[in-house]
Structure formats: C-alpha cells, structure tokens
Amino acid sequence: MFSITKRDTSYIGRWWWSLDRWIVIATFLLLGIGVILIMAGSPSVADRLKLNSFYFARRHALMIIPAVGLMLGISFLSLKQIRYLAFAVFGFAVLCLILTPFVGMEIKGARRWINIFGFSLQASEFLKPTFAVVSAWIFYLYKKQPHYPWLWVALGGLVSMLFLLLLQPDLGMVVMISCVWCGQFFLTGLSLWIILIFAIAGVSGILGAYFLFPHVSSRIDRFLATSGDKYSDFYQINQSLDAFANGGLMGQGPGEGVVKKYLPDAHADFIFAVAGEEFGFFLCMFIAMLFVFILIRSFLRVIAEENLYLILSVGGLASGLGLQALINMSSSLKLIPTKGMTLPFISYGGSSLLALGLMMGMILGFTRKRFDPRQEF
Amino acid sequence: MKKHSPFFQKYSVSKIGESIFVPFVKMASRRLIFISCLFSFAYSIVIFRLFDVMVFSKIEEEKTVSQIDTSVAQIRANIYDRSAQMLATSLSTYSVYANPKQMIDPKESALKIAQVFSDLKYEDLFEKLTCDKGFVWIKRNLAPQEQDAVLKLGIPGIYFQKESKRIYPQGSLTAHVVGLVNIDGKGVAGVEQKLDVNLSQGVDPVELAMDVRLQHILVQEVEKSVREFSAKGGAGMVMDIHTGEILAIGSFPTFDPNQTSQIDPSAMFNRITTGVYEYGSVMKILTAAMALELNKANLYSVFDATHPIKVGRFQIKDYKGQNRPMPVWEVFLHSSNIGFVKMAQLVGVDAHKSFLKKMGLLDKPKLELPEIGYPLIPKPWKEINTMTIAYGYGLSASPIQMARAMGAVMNGGYLIEPTLLKSKEGEEIKKTRVISEKTSKLVRTLMRLVITDGTGKKAVAPGYEVFGKTGTANQQSGGKYHSNHVTTTFIGGFPFSNPKYLIMVTLDDPSPTKATFGYTTAGWNAAPLAGRIIRRIAPVVGIKPVIDEEDRAKDHMNLVQTKGILYAH
C-alpha cells in the first residue's frame, strides 16, 4: 500500500504521518457498511417508487467518491484554511437557507431542499458542521477577548440559525445545532447553574415544540401511545422492531431480510433495522462502537493538543456526529420518538454524504498532530 | 484587568497571550471527557437495548413477516360416486386480502389492483383500502396469473391467504346430494354440510352410493317429463332394496354448485328428502300389505265397492269405479278407494297407526343430508284419518320415507335405512323385519298386476318385469283439494322374479297434453317416465332381460285369477 517513511518530509508525507489514521479507518468502515446496507435496504424502496432496483445503491456509491475526496482534501488544509472554508460554506448555507422558503422544493411537507446546478441540496446539512466551527471560533474569541460582546454574537447567531431552521421546518437540525452550541458553551466554561437553567429551557423548548408543531406532537403521541397493536398507525417503528427481532444475534444473512421490505424508509432513517435483520446484533454493536470510537478518539486527540479552539471545534463537530447517530439508533430501537434523522455515513442521502465528507475532513484536519503548537489558526 | 463575566467560573488570568488559556483548556478537557462519558453511557444503553430487542424478544406468532402465508390449509376431502367418479374436489388457490392500516398509498394501490381485476371497481377498492379495519378481502380464489400479477404490484399491506376452491365436476347433476360449500369452505348444503367434519379433516374421501350413470339417466328423464308436462317440478330416485343404497336421486329444478352466485334458493329444495307429500293411491300398497300381514284379508277376500262411503257431509268414491264387490286383487288392480277404506277399517285405527310406525312413515328418516323433511301426521288420529290414509290422503311423508317403506315391502319384508353412502364390502346391513316374506311376495304380485293389466301399463320395460303402483293425489291448498292440480307418483321395482331395485318418480302439478288425452293421472305421466328410466338403467346395472315377458305376464294373471297364487305360496 502506502510506503511513506517517517523521514519523508514532503507535503504528502507530513500529512500522512500527522493524520489520525484510526479515524480514517473507522470512517471507511462505516462507509463500506453503508454501501452494503443500502444495497440490502433500498431495492424494495426503489421498486415501490418504480425506479431501478439499485437506483439508490448506485447513487449512494457514486456520492461516496466526492464525499471521500472532500474529506481527504480538507484534511490537507491548515487550521486557518479550514476556518476560512468553514466560514465560506457557512455563509453559503445560510444564504441557501434564506432562499429555500422561496425557491425550495417541498418534500414530505418540509421545504429543505434547494436545486443547485441540477443537484438538490439540503442546505441545513452543510450548516451543521460549519456552524460548529463558526461558533467554536466565536466562543474562542469570547475567551480571548472577554471585553468584547462575543457571547451575544454567539447567542444571536444561534437564535438566528434556529429561526431559519424553524422556517423550513427542520426540527431535527434545530435540536442538533442547539445541542452542539450548548455543548460548546459548556466546554467554554459555562457555570453549572447556568447549565441547570439551560436544561429547564431545553425541556420547555421540547414541550413547546410538542404543542406548537402538529407533526412533532403526533410523533410524540404515537411514541407514548401503547402500541401493542401491530396494525396501529405506528407501523414503521413496529416493523423496525420486528426487523431487529427477526435478525437475532447473527442476522438472517445478506439479502435474506424480509421485514425490511415493509420498512418505507429502509434506505434512510431505518437502515439500522436493515443492519439488524440481515447482519445481526454484532454488526449493529460494531456500528455503534465505531461512532463512539471516532468520537472519543478525536476528543483525546484535541485534548492532547491543548488548544481551546480545537477542543471547541472538534468537541462540537464530533458531538454532532455522535449525537446524530445516537438519535437515529435510538429512534429505530424505539427508545425515543422517531426524529427523521439519518444514520451518518450509512443512510442514503447525497447532501448528507457530502456534508459528512466536509465534517470528517475538518475533524481530520483539526486532529492532525501539530508539530508547531504555535501554528496559526 | 477586566471584570469577569458572571457567566464564567472564576479563573485567575495571569498570563498574556495563548498561555492565558491554560486553565480554560484544562477545564474544557475535563468537560470534554465528561461529554465522552455521557456519550459512552448513552451508546451503552443503545447496545443494551439492541441486545434486548434482538435476542430476548421473539416475534409474536402472528404472521407479519411473510407476505405469502404458506401455512398449508387442510385440503377438503373429495367426494366420489360408487365407481370413483369425482363429484367434488378441492383446488388449492390463493386469496388476496389487505390490511388497510398498512397501506401507504391506498389510492395508487386501488388503481393498480383494479387494473389486475377487471371485475373489481376502483371506487369499491378504494373504499375497502381506506376503511378502518385491519383485514379486508380483496378477492377470493385467484387464478395463478392473477396472483402473479398482484405479487408483482408489490404493494405493502397486501397479503395472500392459501385457500381451497371447491369444484363440482358433475355440476348440477349431483347438486342436491353433494350440496356445496360457502366461500369459507364450510359445507352449507347436502353431504358437504352433513359430513362437513369428516370432509374438512381431509383424511378419507367420501364414497357415495350414487352411480353417476344412473343419476344421469334419472335426472335427464325427470327433466324431460317435467318439460313435457309443464310440471312445476319433478323428482326421482333409484334404490338398491337389499342394501338401502341410493343409486340415484334427482330433484328438478336443480342448480349449479359451481356458480354459487347464480343459484336460485328455491332450486336447492330437494323434493325427495325435504318435500313431504300426500301420495294418493301409492299408499294403498301399504294398506294392502297391512291387511295381508295382519291376516285381515287374503287376495281373494271380497270387499264391496258398490256404494260410496258417506262420512259426515262428504263421501268417499272410486275413480272410474267398478261399483261391485271385488276380491282384494281386483280392489288393488282397480285401485278402489272404497275397498281400501274398508280394508283399513277392518284393521282398525291403532293397528293401522302402529303398522305405519313400523314401516317408518311416522318418523324422520336418517339420511346423510341436512335437508330432511318431517312427516305431517294427523293429530288426533281418528277413524276418519285411518280411512283417508288408507287411500293416500291425510298423511304427508317425504319420498325417501316412502321409498324406505316400499323397499321393505319389495325386498322380502326388511326395513332398511336408506343411505347415500356406498356400503363397504362385507359390511353387515342393518335390517329389521317388518312384514313376512309371504306378504312381501303377495304385494309384489299385486303390483305386477298393475303393470300387466292396470294403470301402470306405460311403465312397462320389456324384459325387465316391472312391478309397481301409480298414485295421483289432488293437491291441497287453502284447506281444499283441487282435482286439477295433482301430484303424480309411480313407485315400483324390478325385476319381478328377483327384485333388486326400487324406482320412484313424482311430478308436481303436471299439465294434460294431447298425448295423454287430457289426463293428468300418474298412469299417463309418472308411469311412462318410470318405464323410460327402467328401460335405460336396467341394462346399465346388468339385469338380464327375460325374453318371454308377455307370456309370463299372461301366466301371472291366470295364476291370480284361478286362485293358483294361493297354492303357489
């Protein structure tokens, strides 16, 4: 494979030896598992939509190439370049978010997609990773220049982002961004009293969403309803549980899944159930552990760097990733109400893959070993 | 030095530049580790939940997993005739049903399904698919191509149920006996209903006593006569008098059990087993047998039929009366009502009643059919009832009851329960002696005279020595008898020298025709019908015809007239 010695001081050589290759391996594993699972889960969905059976699988596999390219490309960048990129993409995503209510396509009752050069993009997907970097930078500045009102900038930024996302409406992203922001605030040194206040605000926010948005309340109602009846409205989640149960410890084997055929979102939100049915408990556990691995590994890397900006950035980015995977898995296991959130790297979705490439690229860039601790960022 | 924001925990900021961050970095690192722990904890819950769902919980037995229900439905047993001709069989098919609660797009689904089944309407389907139920049938018993087409639609919430469809290869020919099943495969008529438990267990096929060849002849001829005489209906049966096996049983109008939607319920009425009728003169066979059996008379005892019998305000007359005293054999031959009334009076009410009871006329027969009619018995049973029953009025019984009693008269005196099932080889036939061998033979002798010299001449089947009796009964409606609406019956047996088969035919309200010279009596319609049937079935059942039947008939008459019959026994 590679034959790069540690003495290689070329650009590539330095990149290779400073890169956290474990995270790269974990990411590739997740992407590989994703391709297999989409081949298993998507044909029935595609057939239902009268598309070619492997329409989704093919598109997904094709999108992996630019996503991986994006990831590796960004990991080459210096901290400063990453920050500039993040700010640029963030600005672009915000612009798109402002535009989507006017020019976006409405899918399943939400206006989240915008058509750019014949390719439908979900702007909010790109907002999530770049927002983490932008807010990390603001929080860092707040620490660096305590006499400037950076906190209010951070808060104002969050509120305006939440406003834009609620217009879509994209509640899942609202939760994600709020959590990332709160996590960063927490890392910055938020006093524990304030955390308590935020916790209360969070709970009331969820309650507010429950009463204000009918689709949220119906989701929660359905979750809370005793759904012992197999033929109740709560069809998808019960099918999902059936799929897991059908899989058992070792799974039914590739292509042998049956329940997956009746999972309307087998290729997207419920792909974890497909994994459960066909490959069993061990693969599911492996997937979960890969996410935890990426999360903890990147945390440990930035802790070692002793750099607040890096801690805030990577803390926000990796938490976002870990949280999204956690929410997806918990939904398909009926631990929490269905959230409409995809499983990173594994679920089908072009925008999502590109955004993940962007995010992993930044994580990889941030977690590279810095030989000069005073490297400018 | 600036004052600290109250939002932050207190850290002394003593250094300039990046080094001021050291305590912050330390705290952020600690908090990052705390977040890691939170995540690890949350993921552990997920993994624990995974293990719980995947390993501990089993899918309920309910079949939600497989779209095709492969559980093998118990295939209903076949029904065969006595020579293994198939009368009823089951094809295994699939029926398609929907669970509307699992429908993702009922509108599209209804459109697609309507394209597959030209006989289902989109509106009806849409209504079905949007109803608030967990189960609706879409279509039962699909053809394989239809099933394939539905499978290819790939609509979630559409399922198949393995079922079986009942097929009756003989169609209307055997409809009244075989019966039919409903859409759920449950017997709802005929043998299908009566033997539903046995059939549905699917273990052994049911073999009927019926011979489809005889059945075909019988049904064809009955139908022909019904049409010829514009009768309301007709029926007939052929029975083996030594085993009680019913070889043919037909009732017209009939129905096609394969076309359940087009069945006229009135056509399902089985005239042989469900209908109860007054038979008129046919009943005189039993009156004669009773008088002979109880030694109240012999063939030459004389009964005066000169004058009608007055009972209250009406009188019993003879049809084409001889108006003279006659011996029993002539009373029988001319079917004198007056003679038989006197014969029954001689026997008495109680003996009459118990004789008919013994002959099974007062009890419902035990046939393997659910459609069995109860006899209508006079209550109270007075002298007048005995008088009218003697010549065939006032007691209504089903043809199958009559056949049971007549079988005993013809077969040497044993009452045998009629059966639709084929007797197994070596099986002991349950028989009860009800009259003597001698009485049986004497009554057969009288019945033979009816064919050779009486009203049954048109029932002659040359070579097969038919014996029998005709009966024409005025139909009753609104408490009155109508002489222009009659039930005509012929009951007989063959061959006379070695009786084996009973035949009974009856026509409901036959009309006069040119060929009958305006008559509607049994001798003109039921008797020729019986004759035609016997002529066709006797060769089929393998009876060797006698070549000198006419000579034998003359000898028979001579024997009776010269009282030779007395000495012959």
Side-chain angles (χ1 to χ4, degrees), chain B residues 90-365:
Chain B
S90 288
L91 293 182
S92 119
T93 62
Y94 283 97
S95 289
V96 59
Y97 67 93
N99 181 346
K101 300 200 167 174
Q102 297 179 357
M103 278 286 150
I104 291 172
D105 187 347
K107 197 174 167 183
E108 192 197 358
S109 309
L111 269 174
K112 283 177 170 174
I113 297 168
Q115 280 170 358
V116 173
F117 303 111
S118 52
D119 52 336
L120 299 183
K121 277 198 194 125
Y122 164 75
E123 291 79 17
D124 302 341
L125 281 167
F126 183 73
E127 200 175 313
K128 275 184 179 179
L129 297 184
T130 48
C131 75
D132 190 31
K133 288 185 196 159
F135 182 101
V136 281
W137 283 118
I138 305 263
K139 193 166 197 272
R140 307 293 287 270
N141 298 319
L142 306 185
Q145 301 95 306
E146 292 175 317
Q147 191 202 353
D148 183 57
V150 175
L151 265 176
K152 279 184 178 153
L153 295 179
I155 303 170
I158 293 285
Y159 301 89
F160 292 98
Q161 170 73 47
K162 193 167 188 175
E163 289 203 295
S164 61
K165 183 175 168 62
R166 200 69 166 157
I167 302 285
Y168 302 99
Q170 301 293 342
S172 60
L173 182 63
T174 56
H176 284 105
V177 174
V178 173
L180 57 113
V181 297
N182 65 10
I183 191 98
D184 294 315
K186 192 171 162 43
V188 289
V191 169
E192 291 271 36
Q193 182 183 351
K194 191 73 177 180
L195 303 182
D196 192 44
V197 177
N198 310 36
L199 286 165
S200 59
Q201 281 168 355
V203 187
D204 293 314
V206 168
E207 279 182 295
L208 295 187
M210 177 186 286
D211 186 326
V212 167
R213 300 169 302 173
L214 307 191
Q215 177 77 10
H216 173 72
I217 294 166
L218 178 85
V219 168
Q220 195 180 44
E221 294 294 349
V222 168
E223 187 178 345
K224 199 168 145 193
S225 282
V226 168
R227 297 200 191 288
E228 186 183 347
F229 300 108
S230 316
K232 277 188 198 151
M237 62 177 287
V238 177
M239 188 175 86
D240 183 325
I241 54 173
H242 298 296
T243 61
E245 289 174 291
I246 295 171
L247 304 174
I249 187 167
S251 178
F252 191 84
T254 184
F255 61 95
D256 185 353
N258 293 317
Q259 306 282 331
T260 41
S261 55
Q262 291 157 26
I263 294 176
D264 173 8
S266 66
M268 290 182 74
F269 183 79
N270 187 338
R271 289 164 183 273
I272 293 290
T273 62
T274 319
V276 291
Y277 309 95
E278 293 174 320
Y279 294 95
S281 304
V282 166
M283 203 63 148
K284 293 168 184 167
I285 300 170
L286 291 177
T287 310
M290 171 177 70
L292 294 171
E293 176 69 16
L294 299 174
N295 284 319
K296 298 293 178 188
N298 64 40
L299 291 195
Y300 303 98
S301 313
V302 175
F303 289 90
D304 186 4
T306 316
H307 306 290
I309 301 171
K310 285 197 174 69
V311 184
R313 54 183 181 78
F314 76 101
Q315 52 183 10
I316 297 165
K317 292 179 288 190
D318 280 354
Y319 175 74
K320 290 187 177 176
Q322 300 286 321
N323 302 322
R324 59 181 170 88
M326 285 183 286
V328 166
W329 68 269
E330 274 198 278
V331 169
F332 197 93
L333 184 61
H334 298 299
S335 202
S336 164
N337 295 341
I338 301 165
F340 279 104
V341 169
K342 290 187 171 172
M343 222 182 280
Q345 281 176 314
L346 211 58
V347 171
V349 173
D350 291 339
H352 185 207
K353 204 171 160 182
S354 65
F355 180 78
L356 293 184
K357 172 90 181 164
K358 196 164 67 170
M359 298 305 280
L361 232 55
L362 308 186
D363 297 305
K364 193 180 100 141

Side-chain angles (χ1 to χ4, degrees), chain A residues 24-44:
Chain A
V24 178
I25 290 169
T27 308
F28 277 119
L29 277 173
L30 283 173
L31 285 170
I33 292 169
V35 171
I36 292 166
L37 290 181
I38 286 199
M39 287 206 284
S42 72
S44 58

